[in-house]
Amino acid sequence: MKSTLLGIALTFSLISCLQAQKAPGYMGRRLFIRPEIAYAPALLGPTANNRGGADYIYGEQGGGFGFNAKYGVQAGYAISRSEVLSFEGSYMATGMIMEASTPSILFQNNSDQHYLFYKLSGPEIGLAWNVYNVNNGSIAPIGSYVTVRARMAFLSGTVLDKRTTYYRSNSSAGHLPLGVIPRYRHLSLGAEVGRQMMIGNRMVLSLSMEVNVEPFNLLRLLLLEDYTFETNQQVFHNAAYARMFRHSLVMFKTGVGYLF
Amino acid sequence: MTGVKTTLWPGFAMLLLAILTGCAPYEVQFEGPYDDSKNTAGSYIPNEILTVENGQIRLYPINLTEGKTLSNLPAGIEKASINHAHTRIAYKIPGQNIVIIDTAGASIDVVANSAAASWFDWHVNNQTLYMLNGTTLSFWGPAVSVISTNLSNFFPQGSTDRTMSTVAIAADGTVVATYRYFSGSSVGRMGWVSLAGAVKAVNLTSSNETGRWMRVSREGDIILCGTTFGTTSINNFRLNLTQDVVTQPTARSFAAPGPSNDLLVYATSGKLNISDTNSGTVLNRNINTASLTALDW
């Protein structure tokens, strides 16, 4: 009887230990919701307010040093002791410079040239798989992690500034519409390294860096021999792609959230 | 906990930085914001080229599609001129005073004592109409600086049979005129006098040539004029005031320089033409050139 009781106690203790080792979450807390801000120095293009590098030359207060920023929320759920699946939504805005042309109304076979500054903005959604390094003491969702992510941006463009050079400087008839529907969807694949820390009992602080690329259009552009785009819509699409590629190539993120 | 504290401050610093970067709005807007869906251009093309056909003023757009007749004006107009801004037109019926109208034909003013004017045109300032009566210049609108409004000094002393047909005032105040006189023989000339008083002149091809029309380019440095001699012969002369050179381009019965110096509107038999020497294109449309008495751009 004594040995039976000892056996049962040992079994339950073992089960208990095994369960504790395998239980996901930090102290059993598996879900976190974290508002966050991502930003990157605008070195290869303007921000939505025309700061940063490669700025719109007619913006008198353009140039200098600026950051592209986006704001979002991430919800993560620990599916194991080392893995978190997360869903994110954010809003981004950046600046884009584009040149377009339209046939001259007044002079046949000639064209008017347009130098445009777009604000490119819209929502993004993403799905991420985060792997925490259990070997250095991390337990998902707390500790250092590596993430792979797919993200889709649904962007629209607004022309904030325009400089049109009319053929023969004759602007009396205006110019034809650009013919651009300023919508663009950008799918990117990304990797992220970061660390999420506890602040107090429930709060978490996250610091990370992510790299994003959009390989599909990149391959298409690299394989293209002729970079002449026939329509302003194509020009817009490719300008938006190029801007987004540079905009989100390297981003730094920080967020403060709550662990449930 | 120590690890948290050391990373906490850089984290909040980055947070603050990121928030601040999003606060400055875009400030400078030249032609924006621009909404392509609200761009209705193409439905309206301004009429800039003026003709007088059958005694009526007609206005054509620069692409020579359908023009319009200012049908609210009296018949019998012989000459009309439109300013470079294409906002005002001056016209004249023989024997009557010059009338100033807008491009819809609404009357602005009647120039007093202008019934005897033999030539008139708009200055490049778009506000002043200068008129020639005999050898005397007069102005409607703001006066412009010229060496003298008395142009009789163009004629040699002792010459007779003096006739001055057309006149133009360049942007720099130089006065250009075509005139004829007799001084032992008949002489037809094109002369110009600057504000400093330097007079220059060239003989026209024929001694009995008479100036028919004269136009100044929008920049005010090119003078184009047409002369007639005999019954049907026509010559054109082009004075470049910057270079002080007179050339003789292809003769047109009527011509006028366009908004830039490589654009020209001119009449040929049965057609109104626009040539663009920059692109090498020529546009044309049929008009009744037999009834054409004035052309301007």
Side-chain angles (χ1 to χ4, degrees), chain A residues 39 49 58 61 161 168 178, chain B residues 14 24 27 30 36 262 276:
Chain A
Y39 57 95
N49 52 13
Y58 294 116
Q61 296 178 13
D161 219 331
R168 294 203 178 286
L178 302 173
Chain B
M14 285 191 285
E27 294 172 6
F30 285 90
D36 209 34
D262 41 11
D276 181 345

Side-chain angles (χ1 to χ4, degrees), chain A residues 41-179:
Chain A
L43 302 176
L44 302 172
T47 65
N49 52 13
N50 197 31
R51 302 294 197 275
D55 60 312
Y56 187 74
I57 57 171
Y58 294 116
E60 290 174 3
Q61 296 178 13
F65 194 66
F67 288 96
N68 286 299
K70 65 179 180 183
Y71 311 90
V73 176
Q74 186 169 161
Y77 187 79
I79 56 172
S80 73
R81 287 175 61 81
S82 62
E83 296 167 297
V84 168
L85 268 182
S86 62
F87 175 81
E88 63 177 36
S90 57
Y91 174 83
M92 65 141 293
T94 189
M96 182 184 89
I97 297 166
M98 175 181 143
E99 292 181 46
S101 66
T102 50
S104 170
I105 293 173
L106 301 178
F107 301 93
Q108 292 180 346
N109 305 319
N110 294 289
S111 59
D112 302 323
Q113 307 298 320
H114 313 281
Y115 184 62
L116 307 159
F117 179 75
Y118 273 95
K119 178 186 178 185
L120 210 57
S121 61
E124 292 180 324
I125 55 170
L127 196 61
W129 178 49
N130 311 271
V131 178
Y132 285 74
N133 187 356
V134 292
N135 292 329
N136 71 353
S138 299
I139 300 172
I142 300 300
S144 55
Y145 59 87
V146 175
T147 300
V148 290
R149 167 186 292 105
R151 180 186 286 144
M152 179 72 92
F154 302 88
L155 303 175
S156 62
T158 306
V159 179
L160 292 186
D161 219 331
K162 177 171 79 70
R163 179 62 61 94
T164 296
T165 303
Y166 290 91
Y167 186 72
R168 294 203 178 286
S169 302
N170 192 328
S171 61
S172 56
H175 64 80
L176 291 173
L178 302 173

Side-chain angles (χ1 to χ4, degrees), chain A residues 36-39 48-51 56 58-61 66-69 71 105-110 116-117 158-168 170 172-180 195 197-200 205 207 252-256, chain B residues 1 3-4 7-15 17-37 39-46 48 61-63 218 259-263 274 276-279 281 283 297:
Chain A
E36 57 190 17
I37 297 174
Y39 57 95
N49 52 13
N50 197 31
R51 302 294 197 275
Y56 187 74
Y58 294 116
E60 290 174 3
Q61 296 178 13
F67 288 96
N68 286 299
Y71 311 90
I105 293 173
L106 301 178
F107 301 93
Q108 292 180 346
N109 305 319
N110 294 289
L116 307 159
F117 179 75
T158 306
V159 179
L160 292 186
D161 219 331
K162 177 171 79 70
R163 179 62 61 94
T164 296
T165 303
Y166 290 91
Y167 186 72
R168 294 203 178 286
N170 192 328
S172 56
H175 64 80
L176 291 173
L178 302 173
V180 172
R195 185 172 178 82
M197 294 153 281
M198 291 298 301
I199 311 172
L205 168 69
L207 297 171
F252 301 93
K253 286 201 316 192
T254 182
V256 177
Chain B
M1 197 62 187
V4 172
T7 50
L8 210 56
W9 289 112
F12 282 123
M14 285 191 285
L15 191 68
L17 192 61
I19 291 169
L20 288 174
T21 56
C23 291
Y26 185 67
E27 294 172 6
V28 180
Q29 299 170 353
F30 285 90
E31 298 173 39
Y34 167 78
D35 186 347
D36 209 34
S37 64
N39 182 354
T40 56
S43 58
Y44 169 72
I45 300 175
E48 299 177 340
I62 194 172
N63 58 7
R218 178 172 288 191
S260 61
N261 285 338
D262 41 11
L263 285 173
I274 292 178
D276 181 345
T277 55
N278 192 37
S279 65
T281 57
L283 283 176
W297 188 347

Side-chain angles (χ1 to χ4, degrees), chain B residues 123-156:
Chain B
H123 189 262
V124 290
N125 68 12
N126 292 309
Q127 300 176 64
T128 303
L129 185 78
Y130 51 82
M131 294 157 281
L132 178 69
N133 186 350
T135 56
T136 303
L137 272 177
S138 59
F139 303 106
W140 177 91
V144 294
S145 295
V146 292
I147 183 74
S148 171
T149 55
N150 180 358
L151 305 183
S152 60
N153 287 340
F154 273 110
F155 297 97

